[in-house]
Amino acid sequence: MHGFTTRQLHADGQQKPLNAHAMPLFLTSTFSFDSPEAGADLFLGRRAGHIYSRVGNPTVEALEQVIANLENGEAAVALGSGMAAIHASLLSILKAGDHVICGEVLYSPSLHLITERLADLGITSTVVDTSNEQAVRDAIRDKTKVIFFETPANPTCKITDIRAIAELARPKGILTIVDNTFSSPYFQRPLDHGADISLHSATKYLNGHGDVIGGIVVARSELAAMIRTYRRDTGGILSPFDAYLLLRGIRTLSLRMLRHHDNAMKLFEFLSSVPKVGKLYYPGDPQFPGHHVAARQMTGFGGCFSFELADGFEAATRLLSKLKLCTLAVSLGTVDTLIEHPASMTHVATPKDIMERQGITSGLVRISVGCEDIEDVIADLEDALEAI
Ligand SMILES: Cc1ncc(COP(=O)(O)O)c(C=O)c1O
């Protein structure tokens, strides 16, 4: 098998029309049939081809093929956002009466979807610390169908041992779903560690340039087929234009990830030496609780991590208002550095007790370290830290 970087450039697998070098953008809602019989054959799956872009589109399929390849999965399904990917994965598996276990450190809308929206449909949930295998084992019920977690988790980078959870889930017929957004497939491939589904907010590292909202799910073929049917029925497919931009972003994924990793490591070292900075949540830190598991299941520690300001909320908000180069914005995984305040922004909808369990204090700041010359990012933070 070719190396990752070769595959990110060559794995779209599509026969490109007119000898095009790049995968063209197929901006078409529908496709004509050669004959009524050919149309019927396409609908019955007796012939391969395209019908209608809510069902499938060549540009979207090229993206799905590359991501499935990079994640070492059989198939991928692209959706209009990371939340749509999570929603379609969960709802194509879970039915009323089922139970789901989810990690307690989770992107706030994912937690809300699982604990509130699924509850409205008669699907119950238990929120646990998935880094604690015994806690996960204790939470399993007869009706448990899915264990869902992020690793590293947003925003405090909590690490869950994918293999350990998959091994306790599989014999009970429970599916393990990993939100792999923080790592990208370059640093971590959950299916290699026994997970059933790896999914992404493609908005983040996969795209890298901050100009797409998208999501993608990777799984074995029969699971992917269920999710694809769910997508057909609920209409959440990614637009061809966003697939085109994602295909372009992915061509540099490994190069960007290496730079994110190096820059994050250097920024972590700088922040570790600043007295105004309290706790740091960076999986590359040998003292970080999940470091050894992360080092085993990841090949790099990513570029997004959190740190606390010793003086709490006032200090955090003053820091954010003093920065000149780093952009004050949510999202992550872009080529430039983004910084935000989880307690009042990305995780504001999380119930207070869970926020406390997650370690999201009012002084916590999350930074997505970009690909700039890191000295410039450090200088920006140094100036802002001095001014608070
Ligand atoms: C870990 C994680 N999963 C899922 C999502 C949702 O993705 P999207 O914003 O593309 O819907 C996010 C968004 O920040 C995220 O950080």
Side-chain angles (χ1 to χ4, degrees):
M1 187 165 62
H2 286 131
F4 189 98
T5 303
T6 306
R7 287 184 286 131
Q8 80 189 6
L9 294 168
H10 294 279
D12 62 22
Q14 302 283 315
Q15 189 64 45
K16 299 177 189 92
L18 303 174
N19 289 344
H21 171 61
M23 185 65 199
L25 167 56
F26 284 90
L27 272 184
T28 181
S29 49
T30 196
F31 298 82
S32 61
F33 306 132
D34 292 338
S35 66
E37 294 76 21
D41 282 351
L42 281 162
F43 270 90
L44 290 171
R46 290 199 294 237
R47 149 195 313 235
H50 295 95
I51 297 172
Y52 184 62
S53 282
R54 175 167 47 71
V55 181
N57 173 282
T59 315
V60 177
E61 283 161 13
L63 171 72
E64 291 170 340
Q65 202 149 335
V66 182
I67 301 288
N69 185 303
L70 297 179
E71 283 270 349
N72 292 341
E74 288 177 4
V77 188
L79 292 111
S81 68
M83 288 316 302
I86 295 168
H87 164 251
S89 303
L90 292 172
L91 282 218
S92 54
I93 297 164
L94 297 165
K95 307 277 171 292
D98 288 343
H99 172 249
V100 52
I101 294 171
C102 72
E104 66 184 7
V105 183
L106 223 51
Y107 177 55
S108 194
S110 304
L111 189 70
H112 193 255
L113 167 68
I114 292 172
T115 57
E116 304 291 329
R117 299 240 171 262
L118 295 190
D120 291 344
L121 302 174
I123 299 161
T124 54
S125 57
T126 307
V127 182
V128 298
D129 173 0
T130 47
S131 73
N132 177 346
E133 286 146 46
Q134 192 53 48
V136 176
R137 203 172 279 117
D138 292 345
I140 292 176
R141 301 185 194 161
D142 290 347
K143 289 288 199 177
T144 306
K145 293 283 161 46
V146 165
I147 303 176
F148 177 94
F149 56 90
E150 299 169 6
T151 183
N154 187 359
T156 51
C157 293
K158 176 163 294 225
I159 302 293
T160 292
D161 185 332
I162 301 170
R163 187 169 297 283
I165 300 300
E167 279 176 4
L168 72 87
R170 180 150 302 159
K172 297 181 190 305
I174 300 169
L175 298 178
T176 302
I177 304 182
V178 179
D179 183 331
N180 199 27
T181 300
F182 259 46
S183 295
S184 91
Y186 185 61
F187 284 144
Q188 177 172 272
R189 290 171 293 280
L191 306 186
D192 289 355
H193 303 292
D196 297 286
I197 292 179
S198 173
L199 56 79
H200 292 266
S201 166
T203 313
K204 312 292 167 18
Y205 289 110
L206 293 179
N207 169 250
H209 296 78
D211 50 13
V212 161
I213 296 283
I216 196 142
V217 186
V218 187
R220 57 183 174 274
S221 301
E222 74 270 18
L223 260 178
M226 279 165 58
I227 298 164
R228 199 169 290 121
T229 305
Y230 187 88
R231 181 186 71 178
R232 180 200 68 191
D233 295 347
T234 52
I237 196 168
L238 185 74
S239 88
F241 186 63
D242 289 334
Y244 173 84
L245 290 175
L246 272 160
L247 276 166
R248 192 156 69 162
I250 284 158
R251 292 171 79 78
T252 55
L253 179 63
S254 61
L255 313 179
R256 288 185 281 108
M257 291 315 295
L258 285 171
R259 177 78 167 194
H260 285 300
H261 167 93
D262 285 351
N263 278 358
M265 194 74 107
K266 287 183 185 133
L267 185 64
F268 163 73
E269 277 160 20
F270 162 71
L271 291 172
S272 307
S273 67
V274 178
K276 286 178 187 170
V277 172
K279 224 166 162 177
L280 281 126
Y281 296 86
Y282 176 58
D285 174 2
Q287 309 304 322
F288 187 67
H291 173 74
H292 295 292
V293 175
R296 199 168 65 230
Q297 66 191 14
M298 302 170 76
T299 52
F301 299 110
C304 189
F305 68 93
S306 293
F307 58 94
E308 246 170 22
L309 285 163
D311 289 339
F313 182 72
E314 289 292 308
T317 48
R318 260 184 292 141
L319 173 81
L320 295 179
S321 60
K322 300 271 179 223
L323 289 163
K324 295 199 171 81
L325 182 70
C326 303
T327 302
L328 174 57
V330 296
S331 200
L332 59 106
T334 54
V335 278
D336 55 328
T337 299
L338 304 179
I339 192 159
E340 65 111 8
H341 183 248
S344 65
M345 297 173 187
T346 45
H347 291 70
V348 70
T350 301
K352 283 276 167 292
D353 60 322
I354 297 185
M355 223 194 260
E356 266 168 35
R357 278 156 62 186
Q358 290 182 334
I360 302 177
T361 58
S362 58
L364 192 80
V365 169
R366 188 192 75 187
I367 187 157
S368 168
V369 188
C371 297
E372 295 95 341
D373 296 301
I374 193 62
E375 301 71 29
D376 297 328
V377 175
I378 290 175
D380 192 31
L381 276 155
E382 200 167 20
D383 290 348
L385 282 161
E386 248 166 49
I388 64 174

